[in-house]
Amino acid sequence: MTTTAAALRLTGIKKSFGATRALRGVSLEIAPGEVHALIGENGAGKSTLMKILSGAHAADEGTMELSGQPYTPLDPHDARLKGVAMIYQELNLALHLTAQENILLGSESARGGWIDRAASRRRAQAALAQLGHESLALDRPAGEFSIATQQIIEIARALLTRPKVLIMDEPTSSLTQADTERLFATIARLRAQGVSIIYISHFLEECRRIADRFTVLKDGETVGSDAMKHASLDRIVTLMTGREVKDLYPRTEHALGAVVLETRALASAPRLKRASLQVRAGEIFGFAGLIGAGRTDLLRTLFALDRRDAGEVAIFGAAPVGESPQARWAQGVGFLSENRKEEGLMLTQSIADNLTLTKQGAFSRLGWLNGGRQRATARQWIERLQVKCRDAAQPIGNLSGGNQQKVAIARLLEHPAKIFLLDEPTRGIDVGSKAQIYQLIGDLAASGKAVVVISSYLPELLGLCDTIGVMCRGELSAIRPRAEWSEAEIMRVATGSTDDLQANSEARKP
């Protein structure tokens, strides 16, 4: 690239946090209207680099240029004013404010010193329309929406400022395929308008589809950069990990046993209307569906986080005693929330505290907690799951999202659960770590555990599961062996084609 062509140039960026060298001299160059994929494993330095670019951190060394001019943002607000906006993987919404207030926060339209509410509303609606969500309830508090819809609100807020450079950190991690397609259409329109986009994603297929160029970071350094059309997935994975990942979805041999989880006409207001299913020991059972179709509601109801309004549940052949998460843990059921930041983890507490949270009685005596035993147990899981951290006493909020997720899964393994309810288990996890999680799920099934998985990423469900059920408008519309599904067929059922009426009635029969 020539100097005049660069919309953004980062040269020799370094950043340390105490003794930890997060960035060791990263360089990056992006042209106007280019979609540039930034790829790397968790802990490679991607998030730190983007926080420097978006004004959240200051670099220790190195220079930045925006449209040929020196660029040193004072803070994220200053970065937005200069034309750089970032959509973080971990959402940053004021949950008590409405969707409209979140989208417009700090950028409200004004006239004569007063907020112009009509103009502000039109701008919020226009931003949502770019994403295909113009009908979203603007007056509803953001905290009442699902994580996926909150992500839509976050993206709309970034688009409102018409940025020169837009940074997207895992923007599709909670989106369904339909919403992902809308986002890709928006990216294409922004690219045509000359907006440069830095796209961070662990979904390498997405990167290959939409990115013009890519840069790979490993251990805080740039290890490769090229035109995307010249690179194979194998080459990118090798640059990321330093090793080949030949089989992303390893198939561990496992046999299906007796039914261990069964529901009949299960319902929970307002979204879950009817779900009947059977899950067997040693089975990996996956759920697909659009946002709001009831997938998460089903798992939360099974774990007694949401109230069961109708229907029956049987665990290991018997009606469960007690309707609470504590009772479910005692019955051998473990739950992994899609929202690790708000529900799944205590971000200010240590890795050891988070990992042993559901069985602290096993680490205490006479009311006193044995911290040494806690940390020793945590160290075993840190080693087994290759969690990148300082030690077991480190606050879990200091870890990358993928490493936080590994600890959340380790909690279920340590408990130990016999039925695993996993809502988006690989959200925000890099390709190398995903392969580890997939292998772990396969090993659980091989040991006779039942695993129920929700995923918005259809290749993941098709590569991992034995059985897939599709939710549509609150109903479990069809359940079939994995071999009978394709991505197109899953989407057809998820969108409620009339041909599926017969399938609906059949799916209700466990």
Side-chain angles (χ1 to χ4, degrees):
M1 286 183 200
T2 65
T3 301
T4 55
L8 175 70
R9 179 180 287 108
L10 311 182
T11 306
I13 301 297
K14 296 183 180 180
K15 181 67 177 179
S16 295
F17 298 95
T20 302
R21 297 176 64 191
L23 298 176
R24 302 166 182 264
V26 173
S27 297
L28 180 66
E29 193 169 312
I30 303 174
E34 175 182 290
V35 179
H36 197 105
L38 186 64
I39 301 169
E41 291 190 285
N42 292 117
K46 305 185 301 297
S47 295
T48 300
L49 183 64
M50 293 304 99
K51 286 177 180 178
I52 290 172
L53 180 56
S54 64
H57 289 329
D60 296 333
E61 296 182 37
T63 61
M64 298 190 289
E65 295 179 7
L66 185 64
S67 301
Q69 299 299 314
Y71 170 70
T72 309
L74 301 175
D75 52 42
H77 180 66
D78 185 46
R80 282 180 179 251
L81 292 178
K82 288 180 166 70
V84 177
M86 180 165 181
I87 302 165
Y88 289 93
Q89 176 185 342
E90 300 294 347
L91 303 181
N92 288 289
L93 297 177
L95 300 181
H96 65 289
L97 298 181
T98 66
Q100 177 176 317
E101 289 168 337
N102 272 280
I103 292 170
L104 295 162
L105 198 60
S107 303
E108 295 85 353
S109 298
R111 184 171 58 183
W114 297 88
I115 292 178
D116 187 334
R117 299 187 181 280
S120 294
R121 193 173 189 84
R122 285 194 298 271
R123 290 173 59 221
Q125 288 173 331
L128 287 168
Q130 290 189 69
L131 298 168
H133 282 268
E134 57 272 15
S135 62
L136 189 143
L138 285 170
D139 297 322
R140 184 177 170 188
E144 294 183 1
F145 291 102
S146 68
I147 294 299
T149 305
Q150 289 178 19
Q151 197 162 34
I152 294 294
I153 296 170
E154 184 101 29
I155 294 170
R157 181 168 65 185
L159 295 180
L160 194 74
T161 60
R162 299 182 180 276
K164 297 175 185 176
V165 176
L166 179 62
I167 306 165
M168 295 184 169
D169 190 357
E170 298 287 348
T172 65
S173 59
S174 287
L175 301 185
T176 63
Q177 185 169 340
D179 283 315
T180 296
E181 292 298 329
R182 293 190 186 101
L183 177 63
F184 288 170
T186 297
I187 290 173
R189 287 193 292 269
L190 293 171
R191 175 165 47 188
Q193 295 167 16
V195 178
S196 300
I197 297 172
I198 299 176
Y199 192 91
I200 301 173
S201 178
H202 295 309
F203 298 129
L204 298 185
E205 297 91 341
E206 287 184 2
C207 294
R208 281 187 54 81
R209 176 177 170 185
I210 67 167
D212 303 299
R213 295 177 58 81
F214 72 92
T215 293
V216 177
L217 299 186
K218 180 174 173 59
D219 298 328
E221 297 180 296
T222 303
V223 295
S225 187
D226 202 350
M228 187 62 82
K229 63 182 179 181
H230 295 154
S232 66
L233 288 177
D234 286 346
R235 180 190 169 198
I236 294 173
V237 170
T238 300
L239 285 170
M240 286 174 58
T241 65
R243 63 184 186 277
E244 294 185 11
V245 180
K246 296 180 179 179
D247 188 2
L248 185 57
Y249 303 106
R251 296 295 299 176
T252 304
E253 292 296 326
H254 55 276
L256 273 57
V259 173
V260 296
L261 176 65
E262 182 173 3
T263 71
R264 292 182 181 274
L266 188 65
S268 176
R271 282 185 291 268
L272 181 60
K273 296 181 173 62
R274 186 181 179 96
S276 298
L277 64 107
Q278 290 182 335
V279 181
R280 300 178 181 278
E283 182 174 23
I284 305 173
F285 192 115
F287 282 103
L290 304 179
I291 291 175
R295 298 172 304 167
T296 293
D297 304 79
L298 174 55
L299 259 61
R300 290 178 64 87
T301 304
L302 286 172
F303 196 64
L305 281 166
D306 290 349
R307 187 179 67 184
R308 174 165 57 97
D309 294 319
E312 300 174 357
V313 175
I315 299 174
F316 296 108
V321 178
E323 291 286 336
S324 69
Q326 183 178 11
R328 291 293 186 268
W329 279 114
Q331 292 149 10
V333 182
F335 175 71
L336 179 75
S337 172
E338 66 170 338
N339 186 357
R340 62 174 173 264
K341 181 178 179 181
E342 302 293 337
E343 286 187 342
L345 298 170
M346 302 181 296
L347 296 181
T348 60
Q349 300 299 107
S350 70
I351 295 171
D353 285 337
N354 275 275
L355 204 151
T356 60
L357 180 63
T358 62
K359 55 175 296 187
Q360 288 195 339
F363 297 92
S364 61
R365 183 179 182 186
L366 300 176
W368 293 90
L369 194 62
N370 188 326
R373 286 185 57 203
Q374 248 191 326
R375 291 188 291 274
T377 297
R379 284 195 293 270
Q380 294 175 6
W381 289 112
I382 287 169
E383 182 178 349
R384 178 177 174 185
L385 299 185
Q386 300 178 31
V387 178
K388 293 182 179 180
C389 63
R390 185 179 65 245
D391 53 44
Q394 184 177 3
I396 198 168
N398 293 347
L399 305 188
S400 67
N403 285 300
Q404 290 178 8
Q405 191 77 321
K406 289 182 182 180
V407 175
I409 293 173
R411 179 196 299 154
L412 276 63
L413 297 169
E414 170 62 24
H415 187 76
K418 298 177 182 177
I419 299 172
F420 290 73
L421 307 179
L422 309 180
D423 196 348
E424 302 286 0
T426 63
R427 179 175 179 245
I429 294 182
D430 62 72
V431 64
S433 298
K434 281 183 180 179
Q436 295 174 10
I437 298 300
Y438 298 149
Q439 183 65 60
L440 180 59
I441 290 174
D443 292 344
L444 288 172
S447 67
K449 306 294 194 301
V451 185
V452 180
V453 179
I454 289 176
S455 178
S456 299
Y457 187 47
L458 299 186
E460 181 170 270
L461 291 177
L462 291 167
L464 184 65
C465 299
D466 303 301
T467 308
I468 298 174
V470 180
M471 300 288 296
C472 178
R473 301 187 185 98
E475 295 201 20
L476 184 50
S477 296
I479 301 172
R480 304 174 194 167
R482 176 197 52 174
E484 297 181 14
W485 288 109
S486 65
E487 289 190 40
E489 180 65 7
I490 288 174
M491 288 306 300
R492 187 180 71 82
V493 176
T495 53
S497 299
T498 55
D499 294 345
D500 295 312
L501 292 176
Q502 178 64 33
N504 289 354
S505 61
E506 292 299 321
R508 294 170 184 164
K509 304 172 183 177

